[in-house]
Amino acid sequence: MENMPVPELSIILPLFNEAETVHVLIGRVDALVSTLAFSVEVVFVNDGSRDDTEVTLLAAIAGKPGMRLVSLSRNFGHQMAVSCGMAEARGSAVAVLDADLQDPPELISEMHEKWRLGFDVVIARRRSRKGESWFKLFTAKLFYRGLARMTDVPIELDAGDFYLLDRQVVEVLNRCPEHSRFLRGLVAWAGFRRAVVLYDREPRRFGKSNYTLGKMWSLAKDALFGFS
Ligand code: UDP
Ligand code: MG
């Protein structure tokens, strides 16, 4: 691995109990990569899934040198899974998106173009959000607008953990010691030249949200304590 040339782009995909999505996901990512004229590595992070995510992934990526899997020893949560992916990624640019296909992988191509133009942080912002409960939409709107009033850090509204970062930004995040991480906040805090691209968030293809009320609360708490 050390001797391999540095890829231009790393794509990080965190997965917790996403066995049903694996094949469709890999199909979409493969199709995307085949349209890109530069080298790409895909880093799947299995966040202690309790279903067949790991074996399904291992079988699906066998013989695909550009794809690899990092398996965490237990379920650490989405923010930690993405952070581990960032520590593993070697690309000059690093894209992060959800593995459940709510974030369309195809958008990475447009995000990468912005990076080529000189932007270090390219954030995908939701123009619309399909298939979410009114409860989730309402609490998210309220929470992020409340948080914005409490902090000087310019956290992008209506954006999740779907972004493409220059290597310099990833290095800054990798050096942040926080255990309870609110990555969107750290990304905003890090600074750099920032651009936004808009997208329509899809409903989940399979399964259900793994952000339980408890995990949402924990994320909200880390955001509040970290950034107010
Ligand atoms: N995820 C994870 N660890 C967790 C919970 C979720 O890695 O403990 C992954 C999940 O597989 C998905 C992404 O994080 O790829 C977003 O999770 P989810 O779709 O459940 O959240 P939502 O879209 O409802 O906010
Ligand atoms: Mg989701």
Side-chain angles (χ1 to χ4, degrees):
M1 190 53 74
E2 266 76 53
N3 303 323
M4 304 241 290
V6 169
E8 174 150 332
L9 175 70
S10 301
I11 300 178
I12 301 177
L13 291 156
L15 302 94
F16 176 62
N17 295 348
E18 302 283 6
E20 293 170 293
T21 321
V22 165
H23 288 288
V24 186
L25 173 67
I26 289 184
R28 290 269 294 268
V29 173
D30 258 339
L32 165 73
V33 171
S34 69
T35 66
L36 303 175
F38 47 84
S39 55
V40 180
E41 71 167 358
V42 183
V43 181
F44 297 94
V45 184
N46 171 30
D47 184 17
S49 295
R50 294 186 263 271
D51 67 355
D52 291 335
T53 298
E54 182 168 24
V55 282
T56 313
L57 257 175
L58 278 175
I61 66 175
K64 293 184 189 288
M67 296 191 172
R68 62 201 165 96
L69 169 66
V70 179
S71 259
L72 306 187
S73 57
R74 64 170 172 86
N75 179 231
F76 282 88
H78 172 235
Q79 301 289 299
M80 264 302 172
V82 172
S83 302
C84 289
M86 285 185 185
E88 281 288 323
R90 297 154 50 249
S92 306
V94 176
V96 171
L97 73 164
D98 288 358
D100 61 359
L101 296 172
Q102 287 203 269
D103 299 335
E106 297 74 21
L107 195 72
I108 291 176
S109 153
E110 190 184 330
M111 294 161 83
H112 174 268
E113 277 168 29
K114 291 267 186 215
W115 173 76
R116 275 260 169 99
L117 291 174
F119 293 100
D120 305 301
V121 175
V122 184
I123 298 182
R125 182 165 163 182
R126 300 159 184 155
R127 192 191 293 124
S128 68
R129 232 177 147 174
K130 288 172 241 164
E132 303 281 15
S133 69
W134 68 268
F135 179 76
K136 180 136 190 165
L137 294 178
F138 177 73
T139 49
K141 269 246 173 327
L142 198 71
F143 178 75
Y144 288 110
R145 274 140 188 92
L147 182 64
R149 289 170 154 264
M150 283 185 249
T151 181
D152 295 331
V153 176
I155 299 173
E156 196 66 41
L157 290 173
D158 303 316
D161 289 294
F162 187 9
Y163 34 71
L164 184 146
L165 309 174
D166 184 77
R167 162 89 358 226
Q168 295 176 78
V169 184
V170 175
E171 296 294 334
V172 169
L173 299 188
N174 286 347
R175 267 184 264 126
C176 289
E178 281 87 347
H179 280 279
S180 306
R181 295 163 88 84
F182 179 61
L183 286 167
R184 269 160 261 179
L186 292 178
V187 166
W189 167 84
F192 294 95
R193 275 159 300 176
R194 192 150 91 161
V196 170
V197 299
L198 293 172
Y199 77 108
D200 298 303
R201 188 152 159 100
E202 293 296 322
R204 237 179 194 278
R205 286 285 300 266
F206 303 98
K208 58 176 175 40
S209 171
N210 289 312
Y211 258 99
T212 54
L213 212 53
K215 282 179 180 171
M216 263 159 71
W217 167 247
S218 161
L219 186 70
K221 176 181 65 68
D222 293 340
L224 282 175
F225 288 128
F227 291 92
S228 64

